[in-house]
Amino acid sequence: MNQSESRNRKLAYLGFIVLLLVPIVLLGMPGGGSSTPPGLLSSMRSKFELGESDIGKIDPTSAAMNMVLLGFRGIAVNTLWSNMDHYKNTKNWAQMKSTSDAIIRLQPHFISVWRYNSWNLAFNVSAEWDSVKDRFHWVKEGAKFLQNGIDINAKNPDLAWEEGRIIGFKIGMSDEARYFRKFFKNDPDTELYKGGPDPKVNEQGLDNYLVARDWYLKANDRELNQRQRILDRTLFRSYPARSYFDYATALQKDGVFGEQTRVAWDDAYRDWTTKFGREVFFVPEIPEVGMSMEMTEDDISRQAKTGDEERRLRKAVDNYQKISNYRYWRERARCEREPQMADAHREIYEAQVAYSEQRLTEAKGLVESGMMNFAAMLKKYPDLVQYDDLLLEDALTAVLMWQYILKLSGEAPADDYPLKVIWDSQQSRVPDVQARLDRWLLEQSRNVDKK
């Protein structure tokens, strides 16, 4: 082999190398420039949120960073998970939280990490504290932790939905809900928040259910472009409207009646029937025809092209209305919007307050009027009695209050009275309802003593 052939072969190799570099450079062209478009790999990283920019937030001297740099990220994450469980079991909360922060910096796009750790902080860690204020602090920590994940995973619908669930469900329906809902608008850390809300979780000072609704709306917006993996799609997209129902119900429990509560039920009914109820879904049972919850028989007949399509569409509408409890909530909102039902709730609540303040004559008149109005509305909406635990509890509470007042007054209950049918048929529920009523009356009497 002469020198010329060797040189030509080396030049050929060099040419092939240069030729291979061209597609590599084009594919790997970084994004962010104004003149040149990003390469395919950069576009895909952006589309699927695969960039690891948060890795830079890890302590460069830590063992975790050393493992990452050596290619042992999986080992580092497993070690940190094990450490976090240890800190949780030993109730080392500060160390547990810092360890969870390190995990998400190593796996910022692993959605389960955000979901698990936020839930752990808001539900499990908070339950370990005795003080309600401390419990609320850790619920907030869970919500704040999750917000970081929402910022990093800007297209993911699951995390926004989970944020709505923490703020709506945990704050609004836990055993401490009476305090949590107040703390959400007036944070107990008065030195830091000056009697207002923590702006990180409640920037505008709204009710927790209204803030939860905003997060559910964000989740629905994201779900249009990226599939969620939490619930059936019809249920997932129902949550903004469901938050209105929770809000209206919570107002009544808090003793807020009148125009504010009526508007809340109006908003709930409108959101349920005109927004969620009119949204079109393509479901597996009949993928060729779009269905909605508010479809009437005429709508189904017009939409379907064949008899078989009409049969399957009718069955799909019925099934998905049952899955989302659609007909019940529509009927409940109609009932609650009526002035007589609002009067019933108000009178029963005011009777409880009057009883706790020993105004027995006034309490008796209020509860008897409330029972009559309640019975009249349940007669008008009989289907609600079969499915509504909350209404049944309100009815039983009214009868219990009436019996308490009669006992103190030395009167015997009549053989027949409003809501007697419900009382006789729901005896299995009475002990739980009575325990909640007694606890409420005790707290109310303590508040009266402090005045």
Side-chain angles (χ1 to χ4, degrees), residues 313-365:
L313 181 56
R314 182 177 291 106
K315 185 176 180 180
V317 171
D318 180 64
N319 286 342
Y320 283 92
Q321 283 183 339
K322 290 176 180 176
I323 289 173
S324 61
N325 220 0
Y326 185 80
R327 292 189 290 263
Y328 159 74
W329 281 112
R330 182 177 59 189
E331 192 78 350
R332 171 76 184 275
R334 284 174 178 165
C335 175
E336 294 287 0
R337 293 190 308 165
E338 295 207 24
Q340 190 173 10
M341 194 62 177
D343 287 342
H345 285 299
R346 176 184 56 78
E347 289 166 339
I348 293 170
Y349 180 84
E350 290 179 355
Q352 293 174 233
V353 175
Y355 176 85
S356 67
E357 297 175 354
Q358 296 300 304
R359 293 181 280 118
L360 298 184
T361 302
E362 181 181 353
K364 181 183 177 184

Side-chain angles (χ1 to χ4, degrees), residues 248-405:
T249 302
L251 287 178
Q252 291 174 339
K253 284 188 175 181
D254 292 343
V256 179
F257 303 100
E259 185 66 10
Q260 184 179 356
T261 305
R262 188 196 66 77
V263 169
W265 281 110
D266 272 344
D267 289 341
Y269 179 78
R270 183 172 58 254
D271 227 39
W272 192 247
T273 57
T274 65
K275 293 182 180 179
F276 172 64
R278 291 296 178 183
E279 186 168 359
V280 176
F281 296 95
F282 291 89
V283 296
E285 293 85 344
I286 183 165
E288 66 273 26
V289 180
M291 59 144 281
S292 66
M293 300 296 173
E294 276 290 315
M295 275 186 131
T296 63
E297 287 294 324
D298 289 341
D299 294 332
I300 293 172
S301 298
R302 284 194 298 268
Q303 189 82 352
K305 298 176 182 178
T306 66
D308 178 62
E309 277 190 3
E310 183 174 343
R311 178 186 60 79
R312 287 187 293 128
L313 181 56
R314 182 177 291 106
K315 185 176 180 180
V317 171
D318 180 64
N319 286 342
Y320 283 92
Q321 283 183 339
K322 290 176 180 176
I323 289 173
S324 61
N325 220 0
Y326 185 80
R327 292 189 290 263
Y328 159 74
W329 281 112
R330 182 177 59 189
E331 192 78 350
R332 171 76 184 275
R334 284 174 178 165
C335 175
E336 294 287 0
R337 293 190 308 165
E338 295 207 24
Q340 190 173 10
M341 194 62 177
D343 287 342
H345 285 299
R346 176 184 56 78
E347 289 166 339
I348 293 170
Y349 180 84
E350 290 179 355
Q352 293 174 233
V353 175
Y355 176 85
S356 67
E357 297 175 354
Q358 296 300 304
R359 293 181 280 118
L360 298 184
T361 302
E362 181 181 353
K364 181 183 177 184
L366 285 167
V367 77
E368 288 179 346
S369 177
M371 289 167 64
M372 290 179 62
N373 285 326
F374 212 112
M377 292 307 300
L378 293 183
K379 184 177 181 180
K380 185 175 181 179
Y381 295 91
D383 291 342
L384 291 179
V385 180
Q386 303 176 32
Y387 308 108
D388 197 315
D389 290 343
L390 293 175
L391 283 181
L392 288 174
E393 181 170 335
D394 286 348
L396 295 174
T397 298
V399 177
L400 278 169
M401 278 301 312
W402 179 63
Q403 292 177 350
Y404 284 4
I405 295 167

Side-chain angles (χ1 to χ4, degrees), residues 108-238:
H109 301 298
F110 186 22
I111 302 304
S112 295
V113 175
W114 294 102
R115 292 182 64 185
Y116 173 83
N117 283 295
S118 62
W119 187 269
N120 192 35
L121 291 169
F123 286 79
N124 298 330
V125 175
S126 67
E128 296 290 339
W129 295 80
D130 294 327
S131 169
V132 177
K133 295 179 182 179
D134 290 333
R135 292 182 183 182
F136 181 71
H137 168 78
W138 284 100
V139 172
K140 287 196 304 175
E141 287 298 310
K144 292 176 181 179
F145 178 88
L146 193 54
Q147 286 179 20
N148 294 330
I150 293 170
D151 292 339
I152 293 172
N153 300 276
K155 298 179 182 178
N156 183 275
D158 296 9
L159 296 183
W161 187 91
E162 292 286 0
E163 182 75 358
R165 184 161 171 78
I166 288 176
I167 292 175
F169 178 80
K170 178 58 180 177
I171 291 179
M173 297 186 183
S174 63
D175 291 338
E176 306 87 356
R178 180 179 178 185
Y179 302 99
F180 282 179
R181 279 174 45 78
K182 292 178 180 178
F183 293 163
F184 191 70
K185 291 193 288 186
N186 304 104
D187 198 278
D189 189 345
T190 55
E191 182 177 349
L192 186 59
Y193 302 112
K194 311 301 180 184
D198 182 343
K200 183 65 176 177
V201 294
N202 189 13
E203 185 176 6
Q204 297 179 338
L206 301 175
D207 187 275
N208 70 292
Y209 286 117
L210 298 182
V211 176
R213 180 176 182 271
D214 288 340
W215 283 109
Y216 290 136
L217 287 172
K218 292 176 183 177
N220 279 3
D221 288 342
R222 296 180 179 196
E223 190 270 342
L224 295 174
N225 299 309
Q226 183 173 321
R227 181 182 175 187
Q228 56 86 21
R229 290 175 171 80
I230 297 177
L231 295 168
D232 175 86
R233 187 167 186 260
T234 57
L235 280 177
F236 186 90
R237 297 193 64 82
S238 73

Side-chain angles (χ1 to χ4, degrees), residues 93-107:
W93 309 123
Q95 195 64 43
M96 188 203 77
K97 187 175 184 302
S98 65
T99 304
S100 67
D101 289 340
I103 292 173
I104 58 93
R105 286 168 184 160
L106 289 172
Q107 294 182 311

Side-chain angles (χ1 to χ4, degrees), residues 368 371-372 375 395-396 398-400 402-403 406 412-424 427:
E368 288 179 346
M371 289 167 64
M372 290 179 62
L396 295 174
V399 177
L400 278 169
W402 179 63
Q403 292 177 350
L406 291 181
D415 293 334
D416 190 23
Y417 52 87
L419 304 177
K420 185 177 188 301
V421 174
I422 292 177
W423 176 262
D424 291 340
Q427 281 297 299

